Amino acid sequence: MVAKPYSPSHIGAVAAHYTEMRLSGAVKERLVELLCEELDRLVPTMEEETLTQDPERKTLDDPNRSRLNYNRTRELMIDRIDAIDSVGSAAVQAGIEHIEKHLAKLLRHAGEAASRDRVNTIKPRHLDHAVSGLGLEDEGKTVALEGDEETATNDFVASQSGGVVTASSLLSMARSIAKMTVTKDALEELIDTYTMVLEELESDIRKHAQLGSNPVHFIESINNMRGMMSLGWMRSMLTKAAQQAQARGSRTIDVEDIIHIDPFE
């Protein structure tokens, strides 16, 4: 039995998450064809690579990465629901994506802390630094949903010439400086990185507050702090992120364009 292709209305609903523009009926139908053509290219390659890794395997796998276990994640999510009875496949997939992104963020921040210690092993103190820098210590066991993250992000403020900068202001800044939009995930990552760098600078300033210890380093830290508070750092990050996005052929700054920039450079 030949599987039915995606319906144009379904593709239209999915596409609405990636563009605010309307799609004509003909465009939706063409997108169905293009996505099925992409599956024609993708699936045989995945099948070949799956069997290369495990010739006895009977189930198509993702040969390029290890994913969180689907069934275990589903069971853990079921344990945490209250007002509904079960967890659907789409929710499990979304949960896996969210938790894997969270894992990647923790490891990136912890890895940066380890690099600053000039070691190649992430140790508990580095992970503690990441947890502290991401503000997870105060959250307890509460898991923020997407809407909660957006609220938290929108509450962010920073000094700028006596005023404040909010998430919406940063979006405007990106359009002005980089001539691009920024995804919500990228904006959240940018703010998290800003917080981490700010905390590092504050720590440096406290450490070198006695001018006799290292006056040059102290002055450099003060100057860097001024750049942070005037959002010169943010402008520089957006410019570099825009260059990363352009190199990918994209007109939107995404989280991958942020995480590949050295925030201390």
Side-chain angles (χ1 to χ4, degrees), residues 3-74:
K4 293 181 179 179
Y6 302 112
S7 70
S9 60
H10 175 65
I11 294 301
V14 175
H17 293 284
Y18 303 102
T19 180
E20 296 179 356
M21 295 184 177
R22 295 174 57 115
L23 304 181
S24 70
V27 167
K28 294 176 185 177
E29 292 175 359
R30 180 59 178 147
L31 284 173
V32 170
E33 296 174 2
L34 291 171
L35 294 182
C36 288
E37 288 173 6
E38 185 62 21
L39 282 174
D40 290 340
R41 291 186 286 267
L42 172 67
V43 174
T45 300
M46 291 181 66
E47 183 178 31
E48 180 182 354
E49 292 177 354
T50 296
L51 293 176
T52 298
Q53 290 186 2
D54 183 0
E56 303 299 321
R57 192 171 183 87
K58 301 300 181 183
T59 303
L60 187 68
D61 197 9
D62 180 355
N64 296 318
R65 65 181 296 183
S66 297
R67 304 301 303 265
L68 290 176
N69 182 273
Y70 180 95
N71 289 329
R72 180 60 54 84
T73 303
R74 180 176 180 273

Side-chain angles (χ1 to χ4, degrees), residues 90-116:
V92 177
Q93 292 171 12
I96 289 173
E97 290 287 344
H98 180 94
I99 298 303
E100 287 180 346
K101 286 181 180 178
H102 187 63
L103 172 64
K105 185 184 296 185
L106 282 169
L107 291 175
R108 184 176 70 82
H109 284 271
E112 288 172 350
S115 295
R116 287 192 293 276

Side-chain angles (χ1 to χ4, degrees), residues 121-186:
T121 301
I122 294 176
K123 299 183 178 181
R125 67 176 182 274
H126 303 134
L127 186 56
D128 288 343
H129 180 88
V131 170
S132 176
L134 292 171
L136 300 178
E137 291 176 321
D138 298 330
E139 293 183 5
K141 295 184 179 180
T142 302
V143 178
L145 298 177
E146 186 172 348
D148 298 328
E149 290 176 355
E150 185 173 3
T151 299
T153 299
N154 286 333
D155 286 342
F156 169 82
V157 293
S159 169
Q160 184 188 39
S161 301
V164 296
V165 172
T166 63
S168 59
S169 298
L170 289 180
L171 287 174
S172 297
M173 186 187 301
R175 294 189 186 100
S176 173
I177 295 172
K179 310 299 182 186
M180 290 184 176
T181 58
V182 185
T183 66
K184 188 180 70 174
D185 286 343

